Amino acid sequence: GWIKTLLINEQKKTDFNPQGGEAIAVASGACLKVVKWVGDLTKKIRDSLDGRNVEWVLQELGIRLHRTVYEHLMQFQFASAGAMTLICDMQEYRRCVSDWKIPTVTALFETLHAMCNLLILPPENLRGAAMGDQLANMDKTILD
């Protein structure tokens, strides 16, 4: 709920499709707010739970975070200049969940990052990149 609300209210259409066409290699404000909130929530989860409960709750949070971010991004058009902001956002999301050390969540964000990297490739290199390790098992209709 709250992550979706943050993204809807804070993400600007021009973050990924800038008017001037200049690439800005910084994460968007929306992403930084989400990452801060998730970081604060992670600390509370670790302070309140122990053992496998922490792992299970973080895994569920990570899966839901991934789905929310993915569905949010599907609403945007991306210019090559805006793709740099998107890639910076993905780096922040990956960094946010990396210390959880939950393989399922790590893999989800690695795949999403690999998909975002396709936006900055020249068209002639797309097919080869889409067949790479991280995207090889993905449903190809998603990439179309």
Side-chain angles (χ1 to χ4, degrees):
W2 183 244
I3 293 170
K4 185 175 183 176
T5 301
L6 266 177
L7 289 171
I8 288 169
N9 291 326
E10 299 292 330
Q11 194 83 67
K12 298 174 184 78
K13 297 264 184 216
T14 56
D15 286 346
F16 304 127
N17 199 356
Q19 299 298 338
E22 276 194 42
I24 302 172
V26 295
S28 68
C31 168
L32 295 175
K33 286 183 180 184
V34 167
V35 167
K36 182 187 180 327
W37 187 83
V38 170
D40 293 346
L41 182 59
T42 299
K43 184 178 178 347
K44 289 176 185 172
I45 289 168
R46 288 192 166 138
D47 290 346
S48 303
L49 301 172
D50 61 0
R52 299 274 303 179
N53 291 331
V54 173
E55 182 181 330
W56 292 329
V57 169
L58 289 178
Q59 179 171 313
E60 186 63 29
L61 175 62
I63 291 168
R64 290 177 185 216
L65 173 64
H66 173 268
R67 183 175 50 235
T68 301
V69 169
Y70 176 79
E71 289 173 356
H72 174 72
L73 293 175
M74 291 297 103
Q75 300 172 30
F76 289 89
Q77 290 185 353
F78 299 91
S80 55
M84 290 307 298
T85 300
L86 176 62
I87 289 170
C88 290
D89 281 6
M90 286 305 108
Q91 285 293 96
E92 290 297 322
Y93 292 127
R94 287 170 59 206
R95 192 174 300 125
C96 176
V97 300
S98 67
D99 72 324
W100 298 358
K101 300 197 180 358
I102 298 176
T104 303
V105 175
T106 301
L108 286 170
F109 280 93
E110 291 292 329
T111 301
L112 187 55
H113 184 259
M115 287 173 57
C116 293
N117 280 334
L118 295 176
L119 293 172
I120 60 171
L121 291 177
E124 60 272 11
N125 295 347
L126 285 175
R127 184 153 314 279
M131 298 302 174
D133 291 344
Q134 291 175 321
L135 299 176
N137 295 326
M138 178 178 268
D139 178 2
K140 298 305 179 217
T141 60
I142 291 173
L143 298 175
D144 288 340

